[in-house]
Coordinates of all heavy atoms in Angstrom, one line a residue:
M42 N -161.9 -50.3 -34.1 CA -160.6 -50.8 -33.9 C -159.8 -51.0 -35.2 O -160.4 -50.8 -36.3 CB -160.6 -52.2 -33.2 CG -161.3 -53.2 -34.0 SD -161.7 -54.7 -33.0 CE -162.9 -54.1 -31.9
D43 N -158.5 -51.3 -35.1 CA -157.7 -51.5 -36.3 C -158.0 -52.8 -37.0 O -157.3 -53.8 -36.8 CB -156.2 -51.4 -35.8 CG -155.3 -51.4 -37.0 OD1 -155.8 -51.2 -38.2 OD2 -154.1 -51.7 -36.8
T44 N -159.0 -52.8 -37.8 CA -159.3 -54.0 -38.6 C -160.1 -53.6 -39.8 O -160.3 -52.4 -40.0 CB -160.2 -55.0 -37.8 OG1 -160.3 -56.2 -38.5 CG2 -161.6 -54.5 -37.5
S45 N -160.4 -54.5 -40.7 CA -161.1 -54.1 -41.9 C -162.0 -55.3 -42.4 O -161.8 -56.4 -42.0 CB -160.1 -53.9 -43.0 OG -159.4 -55.1 -43.3
W48 N -159.9 -57.9 -44.1 CA -159.2 -58.9 -43.3 C -160.1 -59.9 -42.7 O -159.9 -61.1 -42.8 CB -158.5 -58.2 -42.1 CG -157.5 -59.0 -41.4 CD1 -156.1 -59.1 -41.7 CD2 -157.7 -60.0 -40.4 NE1 -155.5 -60.0 -40.9 CE2 -156.5 -60.6 -40.1 CE3 -158.9 -60.5 -39.8 CZ2 -156.4 -61.7 -39.2 CZ3 -158.8 -61.5 -38.8 CH2 -157.5 -62.1 -38.5
I49 N -161.3 -59.5 -42.2 CA -162.2 -60.4 -41.5 C -162.8 -61.4 -42.5 O -162.9 -62.6 -42.3 CB -163.3 -59.6 -40.7 CG1 -162.7 -58.7 -39.7 CG2 -164.3 -60.6 -40.1 CD1 -163.7 -57.7 -39.0
R52 N -160.1 -63.9 -43.9 CA -159.6 -64.9 -42.9 C -160.7 -65.8 -42.3 O -160.4 -66.8 -41.8 CB -158.9 -64.2 -41.7 CG -157.8 -63.3 -42.0 CD -156.5 -64.1 -42.4 NE -155.5 -63.2 -42.9 CZ -154.3 -63.1 -42.3 NH1 -153.9 -63.9 -41.4 NH2 -153.4 -62.2 -42.8
T53 N -162.0 -65.3 -42.3 CA -163.0 -66.0 -41.6 C -164.3 -66.3 -42.4 O -165.0 -67.2 -42.1 CB -163.5 -65.3 -40.4 OG1 -164.2 -64.1 -40.8 CG2 -162.3 -64.8 -39.5
A126 N -168.9 -76.4 -24.8 CA -168.6 -75.3 -25.8 C -169.3 -75.5 -27.1 O -170.5 -75.9 -27.1 CB -167.1 -75.2 -25.9
C127 N -168.6 -75.4 -28.2 CA -169.2 -75.4 -29.5 C -169.8 -76.7 -29.9 O -170.6 -76.8 -30.9 CB -168.3 -74.9 -30.6 SG -167.5 -73.3 -30.2
D165 N -159.5 -57.2 -28.0 CA -158.7 -58.2 -28.6 C -159.3 -58.4 -30.0 O -160.2 -59.2 -30.2 CB -158.8 -59.5 -27.8 CG -158.1 -60.6 -28.5 OD1 -157.4 -60.4 -29.5 OD2 -158.2 -61.8 -28.0
R166 N -158.7 -57.8 -31.0 CA -159.2 -57.8 -32.4 C -159.2 -59.2 -33.0 O -159.9 -59.4 -33.9 CB -158.5 -56.8 -33.3 CG -157.1 -57.1 -33.5 CD -156.5 -56.1 -34.5 NE -155.1 -56.5 -34.8 CZ -154.3 -56.0 -35.7 NH1 -154.8 -55.0 -36.5 NH2 -153.1 -56.4 -35.9
V167 N -158.3 -60.0 -32.5 CA -158.2 -61.4 -33.1 C -159.5 -62.2 -32.8 O -159.9 -62.9 -33.6 CB -157.0 -62.1 -32.6 CG1 -156.7 -63.4 -33.5 CG2 -155.7 -61.2 -32.6
T168 N -160.0 -62.1 -31.6 CA -161.1 -63.0 -31.2 C -162.5 -62.3 -31.3 O -163.5 -62.9 -31.7 CB -161.0 -63.5 -29.7 OG1 -160.8 -62.4 -28.9 CG2 -159.9 -64.5 -29.6
C169 N -162.5 -61.0 -31.1 CA -163.8 -60.3 -30.9 C -164.6 -60.3 -32.2 O -165.8 -60.2 -32.2 CB -163.7 -58.9 -30.3 SG -163.1 -57.7 -31.4
V170 N -163.9 -60.3 -33.4 CA -164.6 -60.3 -34.6 C -165.3 -61.6 -35.0 O -166.1 -61.7 -36.0 CB -163.7 -59.8 -35.8 CG1 -163.2 -58.4 -35.5 CG2 -162.5 -60.8 -36.0
L171 N -164.9 -62.7 -34.3 CA -165.3 -64.0 -34.7 C -166.7 -64.4 -34.3 O -167.3 -65.3 -34.9 CB -164.3 -65.1 -34.2 CG -162.8 -64.9 -34.5 CD1 -162.0 -66.0 -33.8 CD2 -162.6 -65.0 -36.0
F172 N -167.2 -63.8 -33.2 CA -168.3 -64.4 -32.5 C -169.6 -63.6 -32.6 O -169.6 -62.4 -32.8 CB -168.0 -64.6 -31.0 CG -166.9 -65.6 -30.8 CD1 -165.6 -65.1 -30.4 CD2 -167.0 -66.9 -31.0 CE1 -164.6 -66.0 -30.2 CE2 -166.0 -67.8 -30.8 CZ -164.7 -67.3 -30.4
L210 N -158.0 -73.1 -25.8 CA -159.2 -72.3 -25.9 C -159.9 -72.2 -24.6 O -160.5 -73.2 -24.1 CB -160.1 -73.0 -27.0 CG -161.5 -72.4 -27.3 CD1 -161.5 -70.9 -27.4 CD2 -162.0 -73.0 -28.6
M235 N -157.9 -67.6 -27.0 CA -157.6 -68.8 -27.9 C -156.3 -68.7 -28.7 O -155.9 -67.6 -29.1 CB -158.8 -69.0 -28.7 CG -158.7 -69.1 -30.2 SD -160.3 -69.4 -30.8 CE -160.6 -67.9 -31.6
A236 N -155.7 -69.8 -28.9 CA -154.5 -69.9 -29.8 C -155.1 -70.2 -31.2 O -155.3 -71.4 -31.5 CB -153.6 -70.9 -29.3
G237 N -155.4 -69.2 -31.9 CA -156.2 -69.3 -33.2 C -155.7 -70.3 -34.1 O -156.4 -71.2 -34.6
R238 N -154.4 -70.3 -34.4 CA -153.9 -71.2 -35.4 C -153.9 -72.6 -35.0 O -154.2 -73.5 -35.8 CB -152.4 -70.8 -35.8 CG -152.4 -69.5 -36.6 CD -151.2 -69.3 -37.3 NE -151.4 -68.1 -38.2 CZ -150.6 -67.8 -39.1 NH1 -149.4 -68.4 -39.3 NH2 -150.8 -66.7 -39.9
E239 N -153.6 -72.9 -33.7 CA -153.6 -74.2 -33.2 C -155.0 -74.8 -33.2 O -155.3 -75.9 -33.6 CB -153.1 -74.2 -31.7 CG -151.6 -74.1 -31.6 CD -150.8 -75.2 -32.4 OE1 -151.1 -76.4 -32.1 OE2 -150.0 -74.8 -33.3
V240 N -155.9 -73.9 -32.7 CA -157.4 -74.4 -32.7 C -157.8 -74.7 -34.1 O -158.5 -75.7 -34.3 CB -158.2 -73.3 -32.1 CG1 -159.7 -73.6 -32.2 CG2 -157.9 -73.0 -30.6
F241 N -157.4 -73.9 -35.1 CA -157.8 -74.1 -36.5 C -157.4 -75.5 -36.9 O -158.2 -76.3 -37.5 CB -157.1 -73.1 -37.3 CG -157.5 -73.0 -38.8 CD1 -158.3 -71.9 -39.2 CD2 -157.2 -74.0 -39.7 CE1 -158.7 -71.8 -40.5 CE2 -157.6 -73.9 -41.0 CZ -158.4 -72.8 -41.4
K242 N -156.1 -75.9 -36.7 CA -155.6 -77.2 -37.1 C -156.4 -78.3 -36.5 O -156.7 -79.3 -37.1 CB -154.1 -77.3 -36.8 CG -153.2 -76.6 -37.8 CD -151.8 -76.8 -37.6 CE -151.2 -75.8 -36.6 NZ -149.8 -76.0 -36.2
A244 N -159.3 -78.3 -35.2 CA -160.7 -78.3 -35.6 C -160.9 -79.1 -36.9 O -161.8 -79.9 -37.0 CB -161.2 -76.9 -35.8
H272 N -170.1 -77.1 -37.9 CA -170.0 -75.9 -37.0 C -169.5 -74.7 -37.8 O -168.6 -74.8 -38.6 CB -169.0 -76.3 -35.9 CG -168.7 -75.1 -35.0 ND1 -169.7 -74.2 -34.5 CD2 -167.5 -74.7 -34.4 CE1 -169.1 -73.3 -33.7 NE2 -167.8 -73.6 -33.7
Q273 N -170.2 -73.6 -37.6 CA -169.9 -72.4 -38.4 C -168.9 -71.5 -37.6 O -169.4 -70.6 -37.0 CB -171.2 -71.7 -38.7 CG -172.3 -72.5 -39.3 CD -172.1 -72.9 -40.8 OE1 -171.7 -72.0 -41.6 NE2 -172.3 -74.1 -41.2
A274 N -167.7 -71.9 -37.7 CA -166.7 -71.1 -37.0 C -165.9 -70.2 -38.0 O -165.7 -69.0 -37.7 CB -165.7 -71.9 -36.2
N275 N -165.6 -70.7 -39.1 CA -164.7 -70.0 -40.0 C -164.8 -70.7 -41.4 O -164.7 -72.0 -41.5 CB -163.3 -70.2 -39.5 CG -162.3 -69.5 -40.3 OD1 -162.3 -69.6 -41.5 ND2 -161.3 -68.8 -39.7
R277 N -162.8 -71.0 -43.7 CA -161.6 -71.8 -44.1 C -161.5 -73.1 -43.4 O -161.0 -74.1 -44.0 CB -160.4 -70.9 -43.9 CG -160.3 -69.7 -44.8 CD -159.0 -69.0 -44.6 NE -158.7 -68.5 -43.3 CZ -157.6 -68.7 -42.6 NH1 -156.6 -69.3 -43.1 NH2 -157.5 -68.2 -41.4
I278 N -162.1 -73.2 -42.2 CA -162.1 -74.5 -41.5 C -163.1 -75.4 -42.3 O -162.8 -76.6 -42.5 CB -162.6 -74.3 -40.0 CG1 -161.5 -73.6 -39.2 CG2 -162.9 -75.7 -39.4 CD1 -161.8 -73.3 -37.8
N302 N -169.5 -67.0 -35.5 CA -169.4 -68.2 -34.7 C -170.3 -68.1 -33.5 O -170.0 -67.3 -32.6 CB -168.0 -68.5 -34.3 CG -167.8 -69.8 -33.4 OD1 -168.8 -70.4 -33.0 ND2 -166.6 -70.2 -33.2
S304 N -171.0 -70.5 -31.4 CA -170.6 -71.6 -30.5 C -171.7 -72.7 -30.6 O -172.0 -73.1 -31.7 CB -170.5 -71.1 -29.1 OG -170.1 -72.1 -28.3
F332 N -166.9 -78.8 -33.4 CA -165.6 -78.9 -32.6 C -165.6 -77.7 -31.7 O -166.0 -76.6 -32.0 CB -164.4 -78.8 -33.5 CG -163.1 -78.7 -32.8 CD1 -162.4 -79.8 -32.4 CD2 -162.5 -77.5 -32.5 CE1 -161.2 -79.8 -31.8 CE2 -161.3 -77.4 -31.9 CZ -160.7 -78.5 -31.5
G333 N -165.1 -77.8 -30.4 CA -165.1 -76.7 -29.5 C -164.1 -76.8 -28.4 O -163.4 -77.8 -28.3
G334 N -164.1 -75.8 -27.5 CA -163.2 -75.8 -26.3 C -163.4 -77.0 -25.5 O -164.4 -77.7 -25.4
Ligands
LIG401 N1 -158.0 -57.4 -38.1 C1 -156.8 -57.1 -38.7 N2 -155.6 -57.8 -38.5 C2 -155.7 -58.7 -37.6 C3 -156.9 -59.1 -36.9 C4 -158.1 -58.3 -37.2 N3 -159.3 -58.6 -36.6 N4 -156.7 -60.1 -36.1 C5 -155.4 -60.4 -36.2 N5 -154.8 -59.6 -37.1 C6 -153.4 -59.6 -37.5 C7 -152.5 -60.1 -36.4 O1 -152.2 -59.0 -35.5 C8 -151.3 -60.5 -37.3 O2 -150.5 -59.4 -37.6 P1 -148.9 -59.4 -37.7 O3 -148.6 -60.4 -38.7 O4 -148.6 -58.0 -38.0 O5 -148.5 -59.9 -36.3 C9 -151.9 -61.0 -38.5 O6 -153.3 -60.5 -38.6 C10 -152.0 -62.5 -38.6 O7 -152.6 -62.9 -37.3 P2 -152.9 -64.4 -37.0 O8 -153.5 -64.6 -35.6 O9 -151.7 -65.3 -37.3 O10 -154.0 -64.7 -38.1 P3 -154.6 -66.1 -38.7 O11 -154.4 -66.2 -40.1 O12 -154.2 -67.2 -37.8 O13 -156.1 -65.8 -38.4 C11 -157.9 -66.4 -36.9 C12 -156.6 -65.6 -37.1 C13 -158.4 -66.3 -35.5 C14 -159.0 -65.9 -37.9 C15 -157.6 -67.9 -37.3 O14 -156.5 -68.3 -36.5 C16 -158.7 -68.8 -36.9 O15 -159.8 -68.7 -37.6 N6 -158.6 -69.7 -36.0 C17 -159.7 -70.6 -35.6 C18 -160.5 -69.8 -34.6 C19 -161.8 -70.5 -34.4 O16 -162.6 -70.5 -35.3 N7 -162.1 -70.9 -33.2 C20 -163.3 -71.5 -32.8 C21 -163.3 -72.9 -33.1 S1 -164.6 -73.7 -32.2

Side-chain angles (χ1 to χ4, degrees):
M42 62 192 70
D43 183 15
T44 189
S45 65
W48 193 96
I49 301 169
R52 302 287 174 123
T53 71
C127 304
D165 174 11
R166 66 176 180 168
V167 193
T168 53
C169 74
V170 298
L171 304 176
F172 298 106
L210 177 43
M235 126 177 111
R238 289 200 169 187
E239 286 302 304
V240 173
F241 190 110
K242 280 187 269 176
H272 174 41
Q273 308 285 316
N275 182 316
R277 293 188 299 133
I278 293 178
N302 180 349
S304 181
F332 175 87

